[in-house]
Amino acid sequence: MTLNVIELESGPADQTPRASVIVLHGLGADGNDFVPVVRRLRLDEIGPVRFVLPDAPERPVTRNGGYVMRAWFDLYAPGAGQEAEADVRASQALVDALVAREIERGVPASRIVLMGFSQGCAMALVTGLRHPQRLAGVIALSGYLPLAERTAAERSDASRDLPVFMAHGRQDDVVVMPRATAAREVLESLAVPCEWHEYDIGHEVSLEEIRDINQWLLRVLA
């Protein structure tokens, strides 16, 4: 399966970007959802950056009454094991393919960031921790870690020092804070370098959060 993608570049079309950021949207959204966010990032000191914003596949979502929407994986009842594992694995392969495409276009794995919100956050963490090459980092926003109990056994050696930026809203009633802190605790138990941020917001992204993301990207892509 191939994905529809939006691509935004901060440099001229004839210049190979010095870094790529693959941005994975949340349940029911699409690649357009994060265009306003990436347009607010100021990364000129890094050089040209390509932002890749794919649309998730369309699928029925059990928790939403079987309604067909863009989703990285089906969701069952809330709680442990709520994700359809086969969907998670299939979407991991799709994100891996996006990474491979960036490498083929001249951006090394070490300069590729996975960024995701909610379900997209889940996929960014699953994929980044298992990718056979060390990526520049993962930005995990308002989400959690699926297959958490398998992370230690399945993560790649390359990801052992993978930088992770995790952020969550204290008033988030969609992905509640304990799910995010549980993900952080898994990463900490594996000694993954994780920078944690909390904001007085709900299931959303704030201007303060965007500023913090900007500074983190400047550091990991310097």
Side-chain angles (χ1 to χ4, degrees), residues 15-219:
Q15 188 172 355
T16 300
R18 295 207 63 248
S20 295
V21 183
I22 298 171
V23 186
L24 308 175
H25 63 76
L27 177 66
D30 60 26
N32 287 289
D33 196 42
F34 264 69
V35 169
V37 172
V38 301
R39 289 197 186 281
R40 287 184 175 274
L41 297 174
R42 296 293 177 262
L43 305 173
D44 293 346
E45 66 186 73
I46 294 170
V49 176
R50 179 187 293 128
F51 296 94
V52 179
L53 300 96
D55 293 341
E58 292 186 326
R59 68 176 86 245
V61 176
T62 303
R63 190 188 297 177
N64 290 352
Y67 189 81
V68 175
M69 61 183 65
R70 295 203 178 275
W72 296 107
F73 46 83
D74 190 13
L75 284 171
Y76 308 134
Q82 65 178 302
E83 310 87 18
E85 181 178 344
D87 293 347
V88 173
R89 303 288 189 183
S91 287
Q92 178 189 343
L94 292 174
V95 179
D96 280 337
L98 291 173
V99 173
R101 183 169 175 261
E102 291 308 294
I103 294 171
E104 289 170 2
R105 294 201 285 178
V107 180
S110 60
R111 298 195 63 75
I112 298 173
V113 173
L114 296 181
M115 174 177 171
F117 177 83
S118 196
Q119 263 205 355
C121 164
M123 289 313 311
L125 287 170
V126 164
T127 307
L129 291 168
R130 290 164 173 78
H131 199 271
Q133 298 181 66
R134 201 307 203 137
L135 304 178
V138 170
I139 298 172
L141 309 176
S142 302
Y144 61 98
L145 178 63
L147 311 179
E149 71 284 356
R150 304 189 196 177
T151 303
E154 295 183 358
R155 71 167 175 161
S156 70
D157 288 339
S159 73
R160 293 186 181 279
D161 64 342
L162 178 73
V164 176
F165 177 103
M166 288 195 75
H168 214 85
R170 297 187 185 98
Q171 282 79 52
D172 194 331
D173 59 0
V174 176
V175 178
V176 294
M177 180 67 81
R179 298 212 70 199
T181 55
R184 182 190 66 189
E185 288 165 4
V186 171
L187 298 185
E188 290 174 345
S189 73
L190 299 174
V192 173
C194 180
E195 182 176 311
W196 173 261
H197 295 260
E198 295 180 17
Y199 305 94
D200 287 319
I201 58 174
H203 198 61
E204 58 193 314
V205 177
S206 69
L207 290 176
E208 180 185 3
E209 188 173 5
I210 294 170
R211 288 193 293 268
D212 290 339
I213 291 167
N214 201 125
Q215 291 304 310
W216 184 86
L217 283 170
L218 291 175
R219 291 198 303 273

